[in-house]
Amino acid sequence: MPRLAILTSGGDSPGMNMAIWAATNAAQGRGWEVVGVREGFSGLLRGDFLELDPLQALRQARLGGTFLGTAREPDFGDKIPTALAQLQKSSVTHLLVLGGNGSLAGAAKIAEAGFTVAGIPCTIDNDVDGSDESIGFDSALNLALPLFDGMRDTAEALPRWFVLETLGGNTGFLAQAVAQAGGADLLLVPERPLEFAQVEAATREVLERQRFAIVVASEGYPELMPTLQRLEQALGLRLRYTRLGHAQRGGRPSGRDRLLARSLAEAAVQALAQPQSGLMAWQAGKPQLIPLSNRASHKPLG
Ligand code: F6P
């Protein structure tokens, strides 16, 4: 009988639990057995599986994080034979990997070895090449926006210079979305580093015009803190700084992320049943199976 293993890997993202439930449900509907892998590729290498049933998974679907747990296993690519041996030992016939670029590169290595594996882009960073959107991005945006709006309320009442730092790894998609949806005065993203003079001139111009400035910066912006400290000195103003940090990766998945998770997970199980390996990406409003790439590369900022 087909036996599907579901694995969540790398940084968790809101909506992963929903995808686990949708995949479990779709696979069971086909008469398959379904197991979860505890703690990502680390758990796979240990052979740490647990039986899943749709009702148990549905209880978790509305929650952030992943009830399977996750881990970072940077050397996984060198341990494929161990992973394959564990899958075989537990009679697993199909694998579904939920994660970002590094995790999907791990899935590609397993597919290269001839095992049937599908990946689903799950990362708040939204940087998976070939997918317009990844699960968790919308929730992370919606978590940041009320905080951005709060900053604006206070800035308009008592003018100050604010910087809001988002997560995003070494990409700026999340920061860009927060800045665009909130109406920030300046955006600092790793893909487009500015000269110090440009940052200073832009901030001065905004402060002179409206007496406050709200900057959104992605955590990966090169030399972010030294740049801001230098700017504090140049402007003679104390910076009000908020770092969202890992809080931005948590929280309940948004409606959009739940729908995306459901749609991608159901399509991934369908592909696995063919049997076809690949990345179930989101393209032009629908799931699309594309090749898994074993490069942990990210897409360019739009
Ligand atoms: O890739 C997702 C992400 O949350 C990034 O936005 C962030 O830079 C990174 O993971 C943090 O990783 P860790 O949880 O290992 O500190």
Side-chain angles (χ1 to χ4, degrees), residues 42-298:
S42 305
L44 177 57
L45 294 170
R46 293 195 304 269
D48 197 349
F49 298 98
L50 69 154
E51 299 292 326
L52 291 182
D53 79 85
L55 188 60
Q56 172 205 17
L58 182 56
R59 276 193 208 107
Q60 310 286 336
R62 66 187 188 282
L63 303 177
T66 159
F67 74 95
L68 293 177
T70 177
R72 297 208 188 267
E73 187 67 44
D75 300 329
F76 178 71
D78 305 331
K79 300 172 184 163
I80 301 301
T82 311
L84 292 173
Q86 293 292 8
L87 290 166
Q88 198 180 12
K89 194 169 151 200
S90 294
S91 308
V92 173
T93 53
H94 302 78
L95 179 67
L96 179 60
V97 174
L98 313 180
N101 283 316
S103 312
L104 296 168
K109 289 257 158 101
I110 299 177
E112 271 171 24
F115 199 85
T116 308
V117 51
I120 296 184
C122 289
T123 166
I124 63 166
D125 301 347
N126 197 27
D127 59 349
V128 174
D129 207 7
S131 193
D132 298 344
E133 210 168 327
S134 60
I135 297 168
F137 173 64
D138 185 65
S139 306
L141 168 62
N142 282 310
L143 190 139
L145 274 180
L147 302 170
F148 180 94
D149 294 345
M151 217 167 243
R152 176 170 292 279
D153 292 343
T154 169
E156 286 179 0
L158 182 58
R160 295 273 187 255
W161 169 42
F162 291 97
V163 174
L164 178 67
E165 184 196 301
T166 70
L167 284 186
N170 55 359
T171 65
F173 295 95
L174 191 50
Q176 184 186 52
V178 173
Q180 285 179 351
D185 299 305
L186 185 65
L187 171 67
L188 299 177
V189 285
E191 292 89 340
R192 294 181 196 142
L194 302 173
E195 295 293 330
F196 178 77
Q198 289 176 288
V199 181
E200 183 184 352
T203 311
R204 271 190 200 283
E205 186 277 318
V206 177
L207 284 168
E208 277 163 21
R209 179 162 41 84
Q210 62 186 25
R211 301 200 307 134
F212 67 85
I214 310 182
V215 179
V216 172
S218 180
E219 60 171 344
Y221 189 82
E223 300 293 304
L224 180 59
M225 287 319 287
T227 302
L228 296 175
Q229 278 158 4
R230 199 174 151 198
L231 196 52
E232 252 186 328
Q233 284 188 346
L235 298 173
L237 281 179
R238 184 161 77 83
L239 167 66
R240 266 65 174 186
Y241 193 79
T242 302
R243 174 178 288 141
L244 295 179
H246 288 70
Q248 198 178 10
R249 214 164 69 195
R252 293 191 172 221
S254 66
R256 161 123 200 95
D257 271 331
R258 292 189 207 193
L259 291 173
L260 190 63
R262 186 168 182 167
S263 185
L264 290 176
E266 288 173 354
V269 170
Q270 213 175 351
L272 287 170
Q274 296 302 314
Q276 268 186 305
S277 290
L279 171 65
M280 194 49 75
W282 190 252
Q283 287 186 355
K286 52 181 194 310
Q288 177 72 40
L289 191 71
I290 62 173
L292 275 162
S293 152
N294 64 13
R295 290 166 291 115
S297 60
H298 60 75

